[in-house]
Amino acid sequence: MTEGFRVDVQELHVLATRLHGSGDLLNDRRNGVPSEPADAGASSDVLAGALISLLNEVGTQLGELDQLITNLGHARDWYAEADRNARADVLRPFRLPDAMLPAYGPLSQEGPASR
Amino acid sequence: MKPPAPIPALPVPAGGAHTIAVRVDGDPVALQATTAWLTGIAGAAGALADDMATTVTASQHIWTGPAADTFRDRVRRGRDHADGLRHALSAIVSAVDTFAEEIRAVKLQMAAAKELARSVGCRVTADSIQFPLPLLNPAQGGTSGEVTAMVGLARRRESAAHTALRAALARHKSFLESLTSSPTRAVSVSRSLFMEASKAKAYTETALTHAKALSSAAFIAENADGGLRQAAQAELFGGASAGMFDQAVRGSRSALGYGAPNWVTPPAGDFAKKLVGPALKPLTVSSGMLAGAGVGLDIMSGTPADKAVVKGGASFAAGAATSAALEAGGLILLGASPPGLVLIAASVIVSAGVGYSIDQAWRPTPPDANAHGGGW
């Protein structure tokens, strides 16, 4: 596990876009399903069962990819917001709370200098 | 050691017309259209796997830390899944392509056998070759033996093609099942970036039923002599339709008979059971529907709605109570159930009597009896 973190928020967007493009391609191909199962004679049901399993697996893959891209977007937003908050904190005028200021009383005329 | 008994030979037909089925099920064109579709998916799954691998590498330069490590672990699992899909798809494409080619070849062999049979005067239809009488066994004749041998060869090839396809699909079925149970499976996605088309959804829902019908209708090669067993579609579906009808009737009867006895647990003790059981028995959906229909007919024939409802409800209750009382009484006093017709007749008479009494005694509600605040 790495200590600390470093991130390029813009590049996270590039990663998400690339994954989204691959998912779109897979989804388009999946949706090009023939309207009816192919006639494979006595093996038609076995073949259709296998193709349905494949379609389900493609659906699972796309669901997982969907979550990954969405979570990447959330991470990017979180980093961007954290950076904005940090910047706002940095720009805020520095002022110590009164309670933290040293409790000097009025200078005495018989202070150390006059002693 | 005693030698094993010889395998009995196939029975030789004693006489009559000899017919060999030459129909070959399977549509190579449709099968190859399917493999083209699967090849497209395999290509896309491969592209996704490659992009995920690139993502892992690229992300190491731009993103570090615990979140980045977790992200990369997840992308690697997704890449493995996509890669597994690509391999499974490629193997299935290869198996289905081979099968389609084999079926095409078997069809050509059958066409050649039909052509030869036609040339020697056999009656040839789309699905069969009929040898002329008085052959006893076409497999032992000259040209008919040659035709039979061609058909047998084609059948063996067809059978081998099915066996190979099923074996290939079974291998990948276990792989697909392992993917399904893998921890990479998405739990739920409320908003989907990748929408499944209705066509794909429909395929998932209906393809298996359709394919089962195709399989049932298919001829299956039974032996090397071209003798076939047909999974007779007419028989299967004829039986199924009658069965479905029976099932539907049973289902509707069960729904109509549903009522109080289904959700009331009778108290313990024989005596209580004998009282409660008959009391609940008439309170069913069907008797309620009949009472409701009676109320509706009354209203349609001009009876005020409130009177019709009271009359219908009272008649239903009285009929049910009579039926229950008679049955319970019969069971308790006589020890046997009274005949059903007596129950029905008694219930109808009491029910009709109650209805008639309400008809006679009904006083219409004054128009302003329920008015609050003086109407409009």
Side-chain angles (χ1 to χ4, degrees):
Chain A
M1 194 67 77
T2 351
E3 292 287 334
F5 66 85
R6 178 168 58 82
V7 64
D8 183 333
V9 177
Q10 291 306 316
E11 288 297 319
L12 288 188
H13 180 69
V14 174
L15 295 182
T17 307
R18 178 191 290 132
L19 292 175
H20 200 161
S22 306
D24 278 340
L25 178 64
L26 182 59
N27 192 35
D28 286 347
R29 298 280 170 86
R30 179 262 299 263
N31 287 336
V33 58
S35 51
E36 287 184 349
D39 180 1
S43 300
S44 298
D45 53 347
V46 181
L47 178 59
L51 297 189
I52 288 169
S53 297
L54 276 172
L55 278 175
N56 287 337
E57 279 313 313
V58 172
T60 302
Q61 175 90 57
L62 288 171
E64 174 74 12
L65 185 61
D66 187 329
Q67 283 192 338
L68 195 61
I69 294 170
T70 306
N71 293 348
L72 195 55
H74 288 162
R76 196 187 65 220
D77 292 346
W78 189 90
Y79 281 125
E81 188 184 345
D83 190 58
R84 274 195 303 275
N85 291 342
R87 183 169 180 271
D89 279 345
V90 169
L91 290 177
R92 190 175 298 139
F94 181 75
R95 182 171 179 277
L96 281 175
D98 291 341
M100 292 181 69
L101 291 174
Y104 292 123
L107 288 175
S108 163
Q109 289 178 348
E110 299 172 355
S114 60
R115 238 188 304 179
Chain B
M1 189 175 173
K2 193 178 171 186
I7 298 169
L10 290 169
V12 176
H18 292 278
T19 302
I20 296 183
V22 290
R23 174 175 153 183
V24 180
D25 286 296
D27 181 350
V29 175
L31 287 166
Q32 281 171 338
T34 299
T35 57
W37 165 60
L38 293 176
T39 304
I41 301 180
L48 176 60
D50 294 345
D51 275 346
M52 287 181 136
T54 308
T55 299
V56 169
T57 312
S59 70
Q60 284 166 343
H61 303 296
I62 58 157
W63 190 15
T64 60
D69 292 339
T70 308
F71 169 77
R72 278 188 283 277
D73 281 347
R74 202 167 165 186
V75 176
R76 281 190 197 99
R77 284 204 303 270
R79 179 203 59 198
D80 291 347
H81 189 272
D83 215 30
L85 260 180
R86 167 169 52 185
H87 283 115
L89 281 156
S90 301
I92 289 175
V93 163
S94 170
V96 176
D97 259 339
T98 306
F99 176 75
E101 284 304 325
E102 286 296 292
I103 293 296
R104 198 190 299 277
V106 169
K107 282 177 185 276
L108 287 174
Q109 282 181 310
M110 285 297 188
K114 281 162 76 176
E115 194 51 43
L116 178 61
R118 194 178 286 112
S119 71
V120 295
C122 297
R123 183 169 180 268
V124 177
T125 68
D127 292 341
S128 65
I129 296 171
Q130 291 174 9
F131 295 102
L133 289 172
L135 276 176
L136 287 182
N137 184 352
Q140 290 174 352
T143 312
S144 63
E146 197 180 337
V147 170
T148 308
M150 287 172 78
V151 171
L153 197 64
R155 286 294 178 207
R156 279 197 294 276
R157 191 169 181 177
E158 182 191 18
S159 182
H162 280 282
T163 305
L165 177 66
R166 284 164 181 260
L169 295 178
R171 268 199 303 279
H172 293 287
K173 185 168 181 284
S174 53
F175 167 75
L176 289 170
E177 283 168 356
S178 73
L179 285 183
T180 305
S181 59
S182 74
T184 62
R185 187 175 176 81
V187 179
S188 70
V189 181
S190 54
R191 176 190 60 82
S192 181
L193 292 174
F194 310 111
M195 294 298 291
E196 184 182 24
S198 55
K199 201 165 99 176
K201 200 167 162 47
Y203 187 94
T204 312
E205 287 167 358
T206 62
L208 199 53
T209 311
H210 189 160
K212 277 182 178 165
L214 288 172
S215 298
S216 303
F219 284 76
I220 301 166
E222 186 83 328
N223 60 50
D225 288 335
L228 300 173
R229 175 174 62 82
Q230 181 187 10
Q233 187 184 14
E235 284 180 27
L236 285 174
F237 288 92
S241 59
M244 283 161 65
F245 179 75
D246 285 349
Q247 194 66 32
V249 170
R250 268 199 297 276
S252 58
R253 284 176 58 185
S254 134
L256 288 173
Y258 191 85
N262 296 84
W263 44 266
V264 173
T265 308
D270 284 345
F271 185 76
K273 273 185 187 167
K274 280 178 182 176
L275 280 176
V276 172
L280 297 177
K281 204 170 162 186
L283 304 174
T284 59
V285 171
S286 55
S287 50
M289 282 167 65
L290 283 173
V295 170
L297 287 172
D298 268 355
I299 293 171
M300 282 170 67
S301 63
T303 307
D306 50 356
K307 178 182 170 183
V309 169
V310 170
K311 181 184 162 189
S315 300
F316 169 52
T322 307
S323 171
L326 278 176
E327 188 167 346
L331 284 168
I332 292 164
L333 299 175
L334 305 175
S337 175
L341 281 176
V342 174
L343 270 179
I344 294 169
S347 304
V348 167
I349 290 167
V350 172
S351 179
V354 169
Y356 178 78
S357 306
I358 290 175
D359 266 339
Q360 299 307 308
W362 184 261
R363 297 285 176 272
T365 311
D368 59 345
N370 293 325
H372 300 288
W376 308 103

